[in-house]
Amino acid sequence: METIIDRDIAKVKALKKMKRNALGLLGIAVLLFLIAIYFKIPMLQAFSEAAMVGGIADWFAVVALFRHPMGIPIWHTAIIPTKKNEIGENLGNFVSEEFLDREKLEIKLDEFNFATKASEWLSHEENANKIASVVALNIVPGILRTIKDEDVRKFIQVQFKEKIEGINFGDWVALALEPLQKGNVKDQLLTNLLEVMSAELASNKDLIRKKVKASTPFLSFGLADKSITEGVFNGLQDFLNEAKNPESTVRLKIDEYVYNFLDKIKNSEEMRIKINDMILGFVGKKEVQDYINGIWDEIKLSITNDLNKGDDSSIKNSISNLIQTFGNGIKEDPIMIDKINSFIKNDLLSVLLNNKKVIGDLISSTVKSWDGKEVSEKLELEIGKDLQYIRINGTLVGGVIGLVIYGVEQLYHYFII
């Protein structure tokens, strides 16, 4: 029979798992943001930026209910254990009526000029290094720990298999060999091959002699070895020398065979299928599959080893440089500054204001009944797992909203400007 302690242990594990999932999703949004900045992908940047805003905002909101985020005694955090008497009556109304008031928020946002201050802060090397350190030391390792290796390996296998099966290697081979049927490319290649074979034959005369000796009858006492060796060697050499002459019968037969072979590859569907099956069969071998499975392990090991270098980490330094470049780019782009401020003032503000009653009611109805730190811990154990979905949904919905806003902006520029 399951005891109360067993249920609590299960809830603790479930809560920790959901926290890791929410953090991993936020980490993915950060990586997508960095990729978008580096490769200049506006749509991905719009999604990841909004996803990070939604994810981080919801993370702070959830954590501040139960404790000080990161152990820092920020004002109005650890709300449940420290403000239990005032929260139930005042906080809901304050958030919905005072804090989420359009006129007040617009004035503060205009005064603050978030884009300018943020770009200036990000452009400083020290600040960029701080963010890069957090990403490199916490977020990236957190993502690596959260991601299941087997899932990644399966994903790589599936993607690799789909890509390989989507390639018609027969067409590739036919296309690659097509130039051999034109001009003197085939003739020159065949002549070079015959030259190499002739040189190899000359350098391996002793080997031919030994092979002949090993094959002749013992009772001949080696008397026939030399004659047979000379006969085999001279016969092969004469054949190769004759084949080098483009007008010789042997060469014409070889040319005809090569031409027919290339033509068959080019025009025979059956031959192309055989080539395709042969290559796919090679890809399916255990050695190749083991190599593919090891790709993720190599990537993960390389990332871990690099992050362990601390300040010499190329990943950390690259992130820091990207952040500084981004900050400097925004700071020197007044149009982008206006767009960011406009987004915060209008679009994001509208989302907050449209949901202010819901936020206020949620805070007011739940906080009033809490009773100190112990109740806060128990409450987190009961509903903390579900609250992590707020972080997850905030990240995903924020990303979707970012795409919607980006799409509206593009339509605006396309049809109006």
Side-chain angles (χ1 to χ4, degrees):
M1 183 176 178
E2 188 181 44
T3 64
I4 296 177
I5 295 177
D6 292 333
R7 287 198 297 269
D8 287 346
I9 292 175
K11 289 177 182 178
V12 169
K13 291 181 179 179
L15 177 59
K16 289 182 178 179
K17 180 180 178 180
M18 285 305 304
K19 286 183 176 180
R20 288 195 298 268
N21 291 341
L23 177 62
L25 185 61
L26 178 59
I28 291 174
V30 174
L31 289 180
L32 290 177
F33 172 73
L34 297 175
I35 292 172
I37 293 297
Y38 185 79
F39 292 101
K40 298 180 180 179
I41 309 174
M43 182 176 293
L44 182 59
Q45 181 178 342
F47 174 85
S48 57
E49 283 177 344
M52 287 188 296
V53 171
I56 294 173
D58 286 337
W59 167 82
F60 186 88
V62 171
V63 173
L65 290 173
F66 305 104
R67 66 185 64 83
H68 299 302
M70 298 184 186
I72 303 173
I74 302 172
W75 184 59
H76 268 291
T77 60
I79 296 172
I80 296 172
T82 60
K83 298 289 184 179
K84 60 183 182 67
N85 295 327
E86 297 87 357
I87 289 173
E89 183 177 355
N90 298 321
L91 188 57
N93 292 331
F94 172 77
V95 171
S96 61
E97 301 298 332
E98 298 295 331
F99 184 74
L100 294 179
D101 178 76
R102 176 178 291 276
E103 292 182 1
K104 294 180 180 179
L105 284 176
E106 285 180 344
I107 293 173
K108 291 297 182 182
L109 289 173
D110 288 337
E111 293 176 350
F112 186 68
N113 194 345
F114 174 82
T116 299
K117 285 183 168 55
S119 62
E120 289 178 351
W121 192 85
L122 292 174
S123 62
H124 286 86
E125 182 178 358
E126 181 181 357
N127 298 328
N129 285 334
K130 288 180 180 178
I131 298 177
S133 296
V134 172
V135 174
L137 299 179
N138 297 295
I139 296 178
V140 175
I143 293 173
L144 293 179
R145 290 191 299 268
T146 302
I147 295 175
K148 294 182 179 179
D149 294 341
E150 189 59 31
D151 291 343
V152 178
R153 294 191 189 100
K154 289 180 179 179
F155 175 80
I156 294 175
Q157 284 279 7
V158 170
Q159 294 298 313
F160 182 80
K161 182 179 179 181
E162 290 180 353
K163 296 297 183 184
I164 289 295
E165 290 179 348
I167 298 174
N168 192 326
F169 290 99
D171 289 341
W172 279 24
V173 173
L175 183 63
L177 296 179
E178 185 175 359
L180 295 180
Q181 293 180 301
K182 300 175 182 179
N184 62 349
V185 177
K186 173 172 60 66
D187 292 336
Q188 186 61 48
L189 181 63
L190 186 56
T191 298
N192 293 340
L193 178 61
L194 292 171
E195 291 286 354
V196 173
M197 293 175 65
S198 179
E200 287 296 315
L201 179 64
S203 62
N204 287 278
K205 187 175 182 179
D206 290 339
L207 179 61
I208 295 174
R209 181 181 59 78
K210 291 179 182 179
K211 292 292 183 181
V212 171
K213 183 177 181 180
S215 302
T216 54
F218 175 74
L219 294 178
S220 67
F221 300 103
L223 298 177
D225 295 351
K226 184 175 181 180
S227 297
I228 295 175
T229 299
E230 291 295 329
V232 171
F233 178 81
N234 292 333
L236 290 173
Q237 195 65 263
D238 290 343
F239 174 82
L240 293 175
N241 289 334
E242 184 178 357
K244 293 176 187 178
N245 181 5
E247 304 300 329
S248 67
T249 303
V250 174
R251 180 60 172 266
L252 293 176
K253 288 183 178 181
I254 293 176
D255 286 346
E256 182 181 1
Y257 173 80
V258 172
Y259 180 87
N260 291 334
F261 177 74
L262 295 178
D263 186 69
K264 192 173 184 180
I265 291 178
K266 182 179 178 182
N267 300 309
S268 172
E269 183 66 23
E270 181 181 358
M271 178 63 74
R272 296 191 189 191
I273 292 175
K274 287 182 179 180
I275 294 174
N276 219 51
D277 292 342
M278 180 182 66
I279 295 177
L280 291 177
F282 170 76
V283 173
K285 288 184 176 295
K286 183 179 182 301
E287 294 80 1
V288 178
Q289 294 299 308
D290 290 342
Y291 172 77
I292 297 172
N293 286 331
I295 291 176
W296 169 243
D297 295 330
E298 291 293 330
I299 294 174
K300 190 174 179 180
L301 180 62
S302 297
I303 293 174
T304 302
N305 290 338
D306 183 81
L307 295 178
N308 289 335
K309 295 178 182 179
D311 291 337
D312 294 329
S313 167
S314 59
I315 294 176
K316 173 183 173 296
N317 292 330
S318 296
I319 294 173
S320 178
N321 292 334
L322 284 173
I323 293 172
Q324 283 185 265
T325 302
F326 174 72
N328 287 324
I330 296 296
K331 185 168 58 175
E332 298 171 359
D333 189 345
I335 297 177
M336 183 60 68
I337 289 177
D338 289 340
K339 288 182 178 180
I340 294 174
N341 286 331
S342 177
F343 166 76
I344 295 173
K345 181 179 178 180
N346 299 317
D347 303 298
L348 184 59
L349 184 59
S350 296
V351 174
L352 293 174
L353 293 176
N354 289 337
N355 293 278
K356 71 175 184 178
K357 188 177 185 304
V358 176
I359 297 172
D361 290 344
L362 175 65
I363 296 174
S364 179
S365 62
T366 56
V367 174
K368 286 181 180 179
S369 62
W370 293 346
D371 185 23
K373 182 178 179 181
E374 182 178 354
V375 174
S376 176
E377 293 175 349
K378 291 182 178 180
L379 188 59
E380 182 181 14
L381 193 61
E382 295 295 329
I383 67 172
K385 175 185 174 183
D386 294 327
L387 287 177
Q388 302 311 308
Y389 284 106
I390 295 178
R391 296 171 57 189
I392 294 174
N393 291 335
T395 303
L396 295 176
V397 174
V400 172
I401 292 174
L403 287 178
V404 171
I405 294 171
Y406 175 81
V408 171
E409 180 185 345
Q410 295 303 309
L411 290 174
Y412 174 80
H413 283 291
Y414 182 81
F415 289 105
I416 299 178
I417 297 180

